[in-house]
Amino acid sequence: MVSNITKAVIPAAGLGTRFLPATKALPKEMLPVVDKPAIQYVVEEAVGAGLAHVLMITGRHKNALENHFDRAVELENLLIEKGDKDRLGVVAEATGLADLHYVRQGDPLGLGHAISKAETFVGNEPFAVLLGDDLIEANSTLLKDMIEIAQNTQANVVALMEVPKNDVHKYGIVRTGNRHDNVVEVSELVEKPSTEAAPSNFAVIGRYVLQPGVFEVLRNLKPGLGGEYQLTDALNEMAAHPELAGPVIGLVFEGRRFDTGDRLSYLKTIVELASERDDLGSEFTAWLRGFTSKL
């Protein structure tokens, strides 16, 4: 009998050096996307997919993450005194989102190393991994679909997107096998290959559903690109030897993904999401049209 998948792991230990000096004291995951930190979008997605138990892998100077999802009693009391129910609701919304847990990565040794820290939390259950740099459009069923595939096949499922060939060096790239609709077999994964060496232009984006056997593979993993323990290398080992932790399957995502991992993509994300807001969109886009017409 296949158990339901209820646990999510969100690695959030990175230093955010691309956003210095803003991230000198502020975790990059707390950078606002309009008026909500990026990390909250990710937690909301996990909860929306039925993942009620969430572990964040954090690091030093990341206390703001825990504070954001904790009660802010003084602020709540102030808003109550002012009768500001709207802002009180917004503040309280983050507090009750999920059953949140935290553990520190310690040494910054890569995504694979970060996920290995989740073993005690996960136990012998499949689980989802959501990277905080990738935001998926709010109405997407991507994560739910991945969970369903993992439960039905007992495979490891990775989210894939087609990217321009000249961008493959930015991603983990897969070699695909048989395809049925948007579900493809994955026979190889390569971390940030050159354009010439890339086995395809299908890139792994920041959503995974993994079987618990991945922890044994991670324990035996050797350092890869950059001297770090790469999750891509572990998945490549699993794809080549499915007896270790189950096969690897890709689900091709054709919806919208917002990348907040670099400055330009982050700014594009804010503009796009702000433009769609009921409370901001009309006025903001009118200003934006006027502003761009002057450039």
Side-chain angles (χ1 to χ4, degrees), residues 16-247:
T17 53
R18 294 178 184 178
F19 286 90
L20 286 170
T23 49
K24 179 182 177 183
L26 180 72
K28 67 173 183 175
E29 297 83 6
M30 288 299 298
L31 291 172
V33 178
V34 187
D35 54 4
K36 187 162 60 177
I39 192 69
Q40 186 170 334
Y41 288 88
V42 179
V43 174
E44 287 172 350
E45 180 189 352
V47 172
L51 304 169
H53 307 286
V54 177
L55 175 70
M56 283 191 199
I57 313 294
T58 68
R60 290 179 289 278
H61 313 302
K62 294 275 186 168
N63 294 336
L65 291 170
E66 297 186 38
N67 292 340
H68 177 70
F69 292 100
D70 196 3
R71 290 283 307 276
V73 177
E74 296 84 356
L75 177 58
E76 291 172 19
N77 288 339
L78 177 63
L79 294 172
I80 290 171
E81 290 174 8
K82 289 185 173 182
D84 195 338
K85 295 181 180 179
D86 291 339
R87 288 190 174 87
L88 178 63
V90 169
V91 169
E93 183 181 5
T95 304
L97 268 178
D99 177 22
L100 283 159
H101 305 261
Y102 304 88
V103 66
R104 288 190 174 185
Q105 182 179 2
D107 298 316
L109 296 176
L111 180 57
H113 179 262
I115 290 172
S116 72
K117 296 295 183 179
E119 184 171 7
T120 301
F121 170 79
V122 168
N124 194 34
E125 302 175 31
F127 62 103
V129 175
L130 298 85
L131 303 191
D133 288 346
D134 284 356
L135 307 187
I136 303 297
E137 60 183 337
N139 297 323
S140 170
T141 62
L142 172 65
L143 193 54
K144 287 182 179 179
D145 294 340
M146 293 174 68
I147 290 170
E148 183 177 355
I149 292 169
Q151 289 181 153
N152 291 339
T153 63
Q154 294 170 43
N156 303 277
V157 184
V158 299
L160 302 175
M161 285 191 77
E162 285 193 84
V163 298
K165 198 71 175 176
N166 58 356
D167 282 343
V168 294
H169 66 281
K170 301 176 183 178
Y171 299 91
I173 301 295
V174 304
R175 186 184 304 279
T176 60
N178 294 328
R179 177 170 179 171
H180 179 69
D181 294 329
N182 282 344
V183 178
V184 298
E185 295 176 355
V186 174
S187 59
E188 183 185 11
L189 298 94
V190 183
E191 182 67 18
K192 297 180 179 178
S194 66
T195 303
E196 298 74 25
S200 75
N201 67 328
F202 281 99
V204 179
I205 59 174
R207 298 296 181 270
Y208 311 79
V209 180
L210 303 176
Q211 300 298 324
V214 69
F215 294 115
E216 183 64 26
V217 177
L218 289 170
R219 271 193 290 275
N220 295 311
L221 198 64
K222 295 179 180 179
L225 187 68
E228 297 182 342
Y229 295 90
Q230 301 289 348
L231 178 61
T232 301
D233 293 342
L235 289 167
N236 187 50
E237 184 74 9
M238 291 151 64
H241 303 283
E243 70 277 5
L244 295 175

